[in-house]
Amino acid sequence: MITKEDLHSYVEIERKEIIKRGDDFFQCAELGFCEVQTSKKIIDLLVDWGVPYQKDVALTGIIATIGQENGYHIAVVADMDALPKKDGSGTIHSCGHSIQTTIALTVLKALLDSNVLAQTDCKVSFFFTPAEEFIDFEYRDGLIAQGKVEFRSGKQNMIALGCFDGVDCVLSAHANGEVDTKFDVGSTLAGFMAKKAVFVGRAAHSGVAPHIGRNALHGATLAMSGISFLKDQFAPDKGLRLNPVLAECGGSVNVIPQQTVLETYVRANDNETLLEACEKVDLCLTHCAKALELDCVITNTVGYLPLRQSNKINSIVKENMLQFCSPEEIMENPVSGASGDVGDLSFLIPTVQFGFSGISGRFHDDSFQISDLENCYINAAKVMLGIVYDMVKEKNNRVLTSNYKEKKEEYLSFIRKNS
């Protein structure tokens, strides 16, 4: 009978190779739906290890499954994409997705080498997902227009393709910032909707007859003030974030602006708050325009849903973290204003995403560095392995999805309506 400690020993055997692999993926930074070399590196490893896989899923994604074909189904999910460098010189893994990929491959190899799943009725699928960062809209919208993908996000496309049908739970991990703790458990991620409001007025000569014009910039400015007041209508724990910007001001110094574009994300910690805030923002935009005799055309683009984690699975997560740190080194239930498409999975399937420290510099910045290789690559992988082990070995630890078909239909209807 293989023990959890036996399983961890397979990580130790591969220690040098894991760290080398992590650096290799960190250096291979590619934007969403462009992860060609990253995918090739993953596939080369899967071929070498004799693991069956699907490739080109949602353009560049990969799914590899090991274990019993019809058993309890665990998904280990890892992002692959990177971000543009701020100095414009290329790309960088400044959100740590290369670490996720490395952790997932480490867990896969340990499960494979130990053959522990043969002693269970379970299978584990590894989802290497593209395009988590919500950026590069022109390129992604071009892919949508060509029919190559349906949505801007990798996981959203994988959900629509049915890749997660039959999955019972989702396990994921993500690097956190420069903190004094080693891990975090039970964190939230905000959901968000992207809004674009085009205010349309009437141009006029600003010196000769400004009164016959209708200033679109005034409408957008008034709306920005109104939106700032909306924040006071929501409790702090709702996580509402509204920071509109003027994307286009229009006009020139001697012309009353005929068109002005305001853009904003609406972020919130739960779906109810997100939808309520979106409705109030729309009312603010619309009525500020009407007050100044302007037209306002609002376009919504769905972002990601809030992350809501499984408490039951997170109790297992914490137990496994405590093998590598003290209770004081675990941050519990942190609230984040960031967003991720793992939130969409959590709407459908019991999901966890634990955090691990070991990063210096700032996220989404060229200063990002992996400073604690032990915690990022070794400890985090062992925690993930321990979670899988506890769930496959003890049926009472297993969490099942409910009403998946109905939730998926509701979800796809929502994002198709707002995409």
Side-chain angles (χ1 to χ4, degrees):
M1 179 69 69
I2 293 175
T3 66
K4 190 183 296 185
E5 290 68 29
D6 293 333
L7 205 54
H8 289 168
S9 71
Y10 284 92
V11 177
E12 290 300 328
I13 292 170
E14 295 268 317
R15 171 182 286 270
K16 289 184 179 180
E17 188 60 35
I18 291 166
I19 293 174
K20 179 182 176 183
R21 188 179 300 138
D23 183 65
D24 189 29
F25 279 110
F26 184 74
Q27 300 302 326
C28 184
E30 299 170 295
L31 299 181
F33 294 127
C34 297
E35 306 96 339
V36 177
Q37 291 304 313
T38 302
S39 294
K40 183 179 184 303
K41 290 176 184 293
I42 294 169
I43 290 171
D44 286 348
L45 289 168
L46 296 175
V47 170
D48 185 48
W49 298 342
V51 177
Y53 63 90
Q54 297 171 254
K55 66 176 182 177
D56 303 330
V57 183
L59 208 61
T60 52
I62 302 165
I63 305 172
T65 302
I66 57 176
Q68 308 305 308
E69 186 60 33
N70 297 313
Y72 183 76
H73 192 181
I74 298 171
V76 175
V77 176
D79 302 321
M80 299 191 297
D81 60 325
L83 287 157
K85 285 187 175 182
K86 301 302 180 185
D87 63 9
S89 63
T91 52
I92 181 173
H93 268 298
S94 55
C95 202
H97 292 175
S98 63
I99 312 172
Q100 291 178 278
T101 297
T102 305
I103 290 171
L105 289 166
T106 300
V107 172
L108 191 161
K109 187 65 160 52
L111 293 175
L112 187 70
D113 289 350
S114 66
N115 202 28
V116 66
L117 295 179
Q119 304 172 10
T120 74
D121 60 344
C122 300
K123 64 178 176 180
V124 181
S125 290
F126 295 83
F127 290 77
F128 299 93
T129 62
E132 188 275 337
E133 301 292 351
F134 206 70
I135 59 170
D136 206 11
F137 295 161
E138 183 177 355
Y139 172 69
R140 297 188 191 187
D141 290 346
L143 294 176
I144 292 171
Q146 296 171 50
K148 293 183 178 181
V149 296
E150 185 177 0
F151 306 110
R152 290 174 172 177
S153 146
K155 295 184 190 67
Q156 290 173 343
N157 282 282
M158 285 182 157
I159 291 168
L161 291 168
C163 299
F164 289 95
D165 295 0
V167 168
D168 293 305
C169 72
V170 171
L171 309 179
S172 185
H174 199 294
N176 57 30
E178 290 187 270
V179 295
D180 295 330
T181 55
K182 284 191 175 293
F183 300 103
D184 69 63
V185 61
S187 66
T188 66
L189 290 176
F192 75 97
M193 180 83 76
K195 286 184 175 291
K196 178 179 180 180
V198 180
F199 290 82
V200 181
R202 186 167 62 239
H205 194 294
S206 61
V208 176
H211 60 282
I212 67 172
R214 292 296 178 265
N215 195 316
L217 180 58
H218 287 173
T221 303
L222 183 62
M224 290 183 74
S225 296
I227 288 171
S228 70
F229 299 145
L230 286 179
K231 298 176 185 179
D232 290 340
Q233 298 184 7
F234 294 86
D237 64 342
K238 298 298 183 180
L240 183 68
R241 297 289 188 274
L242 289 168
N243 295 287
V245 297
L246 293 177
E248 299 175 24
C249 294
S252 60
V253 292
N254 66 339
V255 178
I256 297 296
Q258 180 168 306
Q259 179 171 301
T260 298
V261 179
L262 180 151
E263 295 185 8
T264 189
Y265 280 173
V266 182
R267 298 182 186 269
N269 286 341
D270 60 78
N271 290 322
E272 293 76 15
T273 301
L274 178 62
L275 294 176
E276 180 185 356
C278 284
E279 181 180 358
K280 290 190 174 186
V281 169
D282 285 354
L283 288 171
C284 184
L285 294 168
T286 300
H287 289 288
C288 285
K290 286 182 178 179
L292 298 176
E293 299 181 35
L294 306 169
D295 292 323
C296 182
V297 179
I298 303 169
T299 303
N300 293 320
T301 302
V302 68
Y304 300 148
L305 298 185
L307 172 63
R308 281 295 173 267
Q309 302 207 36
S310 166
N311 291 331
K312 183 172 182 179
I313 301 177
N314 268 331
S315 65
I316 302 169
V317 174
K318 185 178 178 181
E319 288 176 9
N320 281 279
M321 289 175 175
L322 288 171
Q323 296 185 42
F324 305 98
C325 68
S326 67
E328 294 73 27
E329 293 176 301
I330 300 174
M331 182 186 300
E332 297 196 50
N333 306 316
V335 176
S336 172
S339 303
D341 55 6
V342 69
D344 295 49
L345 289 177
S346 75
F347 177 76
L348 303 168
I349 306 168
T351 298
V352 297
Q353 180 171 271
F354 69 85
F356 53 88
S357 63
I359 302 303
S360 61
R362 297 186 300 276
F363 276 75
H364 291 207
D365 185 78
D366 297 356
S367 63
F368 184 98
Q369 291 291 329
I370 302 169
S371 56
D372 186 342
L373 304 180
E374 180 76 13
N375 207 52
C376 287
Y377 292 134
I378 306 302
N379 292 343
K382 288 180 178 179
V383 169
M384 184 70 80
L385 268 173
I387 301 164
V388 173
Y389 182 89
D390 288 341
M391 297 188 79
V392 302
K393 285 294 186 179
E394 179 53 64
K395 291 185 178 181
N396 289 335
N397 287 331
R398 299 177 188 176
V399 180
L400 296 171
T401 186
S402 61
N403 303 318
Y404 176 83
K405 183 178 179 181
E406 293 82 0
K407 288 179 181 177
K408 181 181 174 183
E409 289 175 355
E410 178 186 354
Y411 168 79
L412 290 176
S413 174
F414 173 73
I415 62 173
R416 282 171 175 153
K417 178 182 177 182
N418 293 289
S419 292

